[in-house]
Amino acid sequence: MIPDEEHEKLMADLDLCNGSRWAKGIQTVIGSRGKKLSGGQNQRVAIGRAITKRAPVLFGDEITSSVDSSTEKRVQRVLEKWLGEDVTVFMVSHHYSTLRSICNRFVMIDSIEENPDAGNTIVAEANSLEELAQKWPKFRQMALDQDIVL
């Protein structure tokens, strides 16, 4: 767990403790299951909670799907700053810029819709997005569609 005095810093880094909605900072009541939060705020609170626990392994599925591109960049910086080298992160994302900023190993899985006979199959593994693009042309096109420079 991170020390209590660092919670406010983490929440500020995630842009969560500002405005009238957060008048009490991390003590603000957000409602049962976060009912008073937007989708993006809910995602950022979940990220903050995961970081706070200092768990050795984190799993994330589309952790920036409900935020705008500026907030996505903020979340990337938070993950880079607050996650230690000793944390293993398994992340599912279609936002390749987020993956690039925090991941050092990439595995692409072909979905059952595209290859029904094989089911979900690992089609490529790499140590960088560039290497992944060389190994799997379909990924290269998807990355280029997101304006990822390879």
Side-chain angles (χ1 to χ4, degrees):
M1 298 276 290
I2 65 172
D4 288 342
E5 60 273 5
E6 290 190 36
H7 283 159
E8 291 284 345
K9 291 178 188 173
L10 174 59
M11 293 299 118
D13 284 352
L14 286 166
D15 196 26
L16 284 172
C17 291
N18 59 9
S20 60
R21 190 178 230 177
W22 295 89
K24 295 182 182 177
I26 63 172
Q27 301 303 319
T28 301
V29 176
I30 58 173
S32 175
R33 299 187 190 269
K35 286 182 186 177
K36 296 181 180 182
L37 300 176
S38 69
Q41 288 172 325
N42 214 336
Q43 284 181 318
R44 288 179 284 148
V45 166
I47 292 165
R49 291 181 68 197
I51 291 170
T52 298
K53 292 187 181 288
R54 295 273 193 221
V57 178
L58 296 177
F59 292 88
D61 185 2
E62 299 292 354
I63 66 169
T64 58
S65 63
S66 295
V67 300
D68 59 51
S69 56
S70 296
T71 304
E72 181 180 9
K73 291 272 189 210
R74 178 184 288 273
V75 168
Q76 290 169 7
R77 288 191 303 270
V78 165
L79 293 171
E80 290 170 11
K81 175 181 176 180
W82 288 88
L83 291 180
E85 297 260 334
D86 55 340
V87 177
T88 300
V89 179
F90 292 94
M91 187 176 299
V92 176
S93 181
H94 292 91
H95 294 242
Y96 302 135
S97 59
T98 298
L99 295 175
R100 173 181 264 170
S101 70
I102 63 166
C103 297
N104 59 14
R105 187 83 177 132
F106 303 88
V107 178
M108 292 299 292
I109 300 173
D110 196 14
S111 67
I112 197 164
E113 292 87 22
E114 296 178 22
N115 193 357
D117 295 332
N120 293 329
T121 305
I122 294 175
V123 294
E125 297 180 51
N127 294 316
S128 69
L129 294 183
E130 293 75 14
E131 181 183 350
L132 192 57
Q134 290 174 353
K135 290 182 173 186
W136 199 39
K138 183 177 177 181
F139 171 76
R140 172 176 287 287
Q141 185 57 54
M142 291 187 298
L144 292 173
D145 288 344
Q146 291 185 29
D147 296 325
I148 301 293
V149 177
L150 298 170

